[in-house]
Amino acid sequence: FLPRVVASLEQVEETYIMVKPDGVQRGLVGEIISRFEKKGFKLTGLKLFQCPKELAEEHYKDLNAKPFFPKLIDYITSGPVVCMAWEGDGVVASARKLIGSTNPLQAEPGTIRGDLAVQTGRNVVHGSDSPENGKREIGLWFKDGELCQWTPAQASWLRE
Ligand code: GDP
Ligand code: MG
């Protein structure tokens, strides 16, 4: 019991990853989840969700002065998204690398956006840009009780 409490008090790095409505409509959910799964990160939250406008606006509040903001909110609320919480050392920066550049035409082949998307306004996936935003966004998109703490069977084969 005690080691678990201590472990939960440690600052574990987390990121919020979301398959955007185009990724869901295009049948890319499994493909996108599998990239993070194969890398070796730990999934702690997962749900299909129709995002209300207010939540989209809160999630992207730092961009609310941008000319594309109304289109961005329409896009994110245009259909269900797949919300995910992933955990691991360096998961925020590593997930951003797996995702690739914001503009899919500049994203390297091998990245999710580089392989699966062509336009910034339809770039199939979101990933938090800092550990602080990872925690903030997971708090925004998930309720208490929707996240699972567990130990993957492969843990000792991923980290020495
Ligand atoms: P990200 O962190 O790589 O997702 O990029 P940003 O945080 O800069 O932007 C958030 C999201 O807003 C992007 O993923 C795009 O979906 C959208 N976005 C950013 N820039 C533009 C733009 O110039 N035009 C349009 N239509 N959407 C944009
Ligand atoms: Mg961003």
Side-chain angles (χ1 to χ4, degrees):
F1 177 72
L2 194 59
R4 209 166 168 75
V5 171
V6 171
S8 72
L9 292 174
E10 278 168 22
Q11 279 294 62
V12 181
E13 190 169 317
E14 300 171 286
T15 192
Y16 176 66
I17 302 293
M18 175 168 72
V19 182
K20 295 178 177 180
D22 50 336
V24 176
Q25 293 286 354
R26 292 175 55 208
L28 298 174
V29 172
E31 164 86 34
I32 291 171
I33 293 177
S34 74
R35 302 227 176 176
F36 299 99
E37 209 176 23
K38 286 176 191 163
K39 174 71 176 171
F41 293 125
K42 179 164 86 175
L43 183 65
T44 57
L46 173 67
K47 66 179 178 186
L48 183 72
F49 182 63
Q50 174 62 55
C51 172
K53 193 169 185 230
E54 299 69 39
L55 176 57
E57 288 170 345
E58 178 63 24
H59 174 80
Y60 282 123
K61 68 177 178 194
D62 291 350
L63 298 174
N64 68 8
K66 302 280 186 189
F68 59 81
F69 187 72
K71 276 204 310 190
L72 174 59
I73 300 308
D74 285 348
Y75 165 43
I76 295 302
T77 58
S78 65
V81 295
V82 173
C83 310
M84 288 175 268
W86 290 90
E87 197 179 287
D89 295 335
V91 68
V92 169
S94 179
R96 298 269 297 181
K97 277 194 181 168
L98 291 174
I99 287 170
S101 302
T102 304
N103 181 344
L105 293 183
Q106 278 148 25
E108 295 295 332
T111 65
I112 295 169
R113 288 168 175 167
D115 288 348
L116 305 174
V118 291
Q119 258 199 352
T120 302
R122 295 288 184 270
N123 61 3
V124 302
V125 65
H126 165 83
S128 308
D129 63 8
S130 67
E132 298 68 44
N133 276 335
K135 305 240 180 251
R136 178 184 87 89
E137 292 170 3
I138 289 169
L140 271 181
W141 289 86
F142 286 99
K143 294 189 200 120
D144 287 347
E146 288 183 327
L147 300 171
C148 288
Q149 272 318 324
W150 59 295
T151 303
Q154 59 173 328
S156 64
W157 298 102
L158 281 162
R159 305 172 84 245
E160 63 178 12

